[in-house]
Amino acid sequence: MHSNPDPIPEIELDLLLAAKREAAEGVVVLTLRRPAGAPLPAWEPGAHLDLLLRPDLVRQYSLCGDPADRTELQVAVLREADGRGGSAYVHDELPVGATVRVRGPRNHFALLPASRYLFIAGGIGITPLVPMIAAAEEAGADWRLVYGGRSRASMAFRSELRDRYGERVSIHPQDETGLLDLPALLAEPDPERLVYCCGPEPLLAAVEANCGHWPSGALRVERFAPKTFDEPARRESFEVELAQSGRTLEVPPGSSILQVVEEAGIPVLSSCQEGTCGTCETAVLSGVPEHRDSLLTEEEQAANDTMMICVSRSCSARLVLDL
């Protein structure tokens, strides 16, 4: 889940799509390099990259290569039949040799130090876990991966992981073994173990439910799609004071803070517009935000010192933001 924003500076670069290979049924891995071969920005397991495919098409993909290799960045992209066009563009229209503008890296799913880890992946959710597993192995930690997918053919990196790590990787194609047995897997809380999970929302919700009796903070998840929320707590307008800009703006019920700030001509970095990527994270100086993102942990939300202004709103009549 979310940790403090990565200290590695975020940059924007034009990279060369050096290779594009099929990693599984419906999954391609893109290898991106600098045209002149200069070193790429550093990143850590759990980081993701924005691909600016077109001005109206920005998508986030987890980095799945080797953080020690500064010559290339790799992301895996699942073709989503019901997606919004990003994956279809990558699969069908983006040729090897093309220039791809990228922004990042950004990390809201950092691998925290632990003596033991349980990694749970569902489908394309394996991508951020691949470099995490390598880091856990290098650190000498005790770890295990439980990897579920629709079928063996659809599960990217399945063979590589089994070949490299053997029995610590357990593969569970749903058409052969059914759904993961999460109640058994998570029955015994382990205060020394961190659980990292990434995949579709039903898997994440089930893992969260089965980790309810684990120590607070033991579970870390990353969502590719936003959680669903009830109606906002505050249905009327609220004010947002922008400390840096010296402006006070009114946010009506039908608009987001991000929309209102941008309409006022104040530039803010944003990307997903749905509270999953963390690009628009903003410091809260005063007031009580209503968190409607899918990134911050319960503890981080309770601190009320930062918020995602693309989706989150206000419980108080006024918020003061560091903008």
Side-chain angles (χ1 to χ4, degrees), residues 283-314:
V284 178
L285 304 180
S286 178
V288 181
E290 182 195 359
H291 298 285
R292 299 174 68 82
D293 66 273
S294 303
L295 268 174
L296 296 170
T297 66
E298 289 182 8
E299 293 84 359
E300 288 161 343
Q301 290 187 347
N304 286 332
D305 55 8
T306 186
M307 69 185 297
M308 308 301 162
I309 62 172
C310 65
V311 290
S312 294
R313 301 187 67 76
S314 183

Side-chain angles (χ1 to χ4, degrees), residues 58-316:
V58 181
R59 296 291 182 267
Q60 296 77 39
Y61 299 108
S62 297
L63 289 162
C64 58
D66 178 4
D69 185 352
R70 300 287 294 279
T71 68
E72 64 183 37
L73 296 171
Q74 289 191 337
V75 297
V77 181
L78 169 70
R79 179 191 289 278
E80 297 187 64
D82 301 321
R84 296 171 295 157
S87 67
Y89 180 89
V90 168
H91 277 255
D92 300 336
E93 298 183 50
L94 193 61
V96 171
T99 297
V100 182
R101 192 156 188 83
V102 305
R103 186 168 59 216
R106 192 178 307 111
N107 199 343
H108 292 282
F109 192 45
L111 183 68
L112 302 179
S115 59
R116 293 194 286 274
Y117 296 97
L118 172 59
F119 298 106
I120 304 174
I124 196 64
I126 190 63
T127 52
L129 302 186
V130 170
M132 287 188 179
I133 289 166
E137 175 74 3
E138 188 176 352
D142 172 15
W143 64 268
R144 177 186 176 197
L145 167 66
V146 178
Y147 180 11
R150 294 189 323 278
S151 64
R152 287 182 186 272
S154 72
M155 298 170 72
F157 309 116
R158 169 180 55 83
S159 298
E160 298 97 310
L161 288 165
R162 279 304 297 260
D163 290 347
R164 185 171 179 185
Y165 301 116
E167 293 304 311
R168 280 177 294 173
V169 174
S170 54
I171 304 295
H172 300 270
Q174 188 176 335
D175 60 355
E176 296 176 27
T177 61
L179 295 174
L180 297 179
D181 188 357
L182 297 175
L185 188 63
L186 299 165
E188 295 297 327
D190 180 351
E192 302 300 318
R193 192 181 300 274
L194 292 181
V195 180
Y196 276 80
C197 180
C198 188
E201 182 58 31
L203 172 67
L204 300 184
V207 169
E208 286 174 334
N210 282 280
C211 277
H213 60 302
W214 280 60
S216 176
L219 173 62
R220 323 291 293 185
V221 305
E222 182 170 59
R223 284 180 156 84
F224 293 141
K227 292 190 283 190
T228 56
F229 291 91
D230 295 330
E231 286 295 310
R234 185 181 189 86
R235 305 208 176 184
E236 62 269 34
S237 300
F238 58 92
E239 287 187 340
V240 173
E241 180 184 335
L242 310 182
Q244 292 182 36
S245 309
R247 303 275 299 276
T248 297
L249 306 173
E250 182 177 323
V251 182
S255 299
S256 69
I257 298 173
L258 177 64
Q259 288 171 324
V260 170
V261 169
E262 287 182 332
E263 286 166 5
I266 297 159
V268 181
L269 266 184
S270 67
S271 187
C272 74
Q273 313 278 317
E274 59 184 20
T276 57
C277 78
T279 309
C280 70
E281 184 172 10
T282 302
V284 178
L285 304 180
S286 178
V288 181
E290 182 195 359
H291 298 285
R292 299 174 68 82
D293 66 273
S294 303
L295 268 174
L296 296 170
T297 66
E298 289 182 8
E299 293 84 359
E300 288 161 343
Q301 290 187 347
N304 286 332
D305 55 8
T306 186
M307 69 185 297
M308 308 301 162
I309 62 172
C310 65
V311 290
S312 294
R313 301 187 67 76
S314 183
C315 293
S316 53

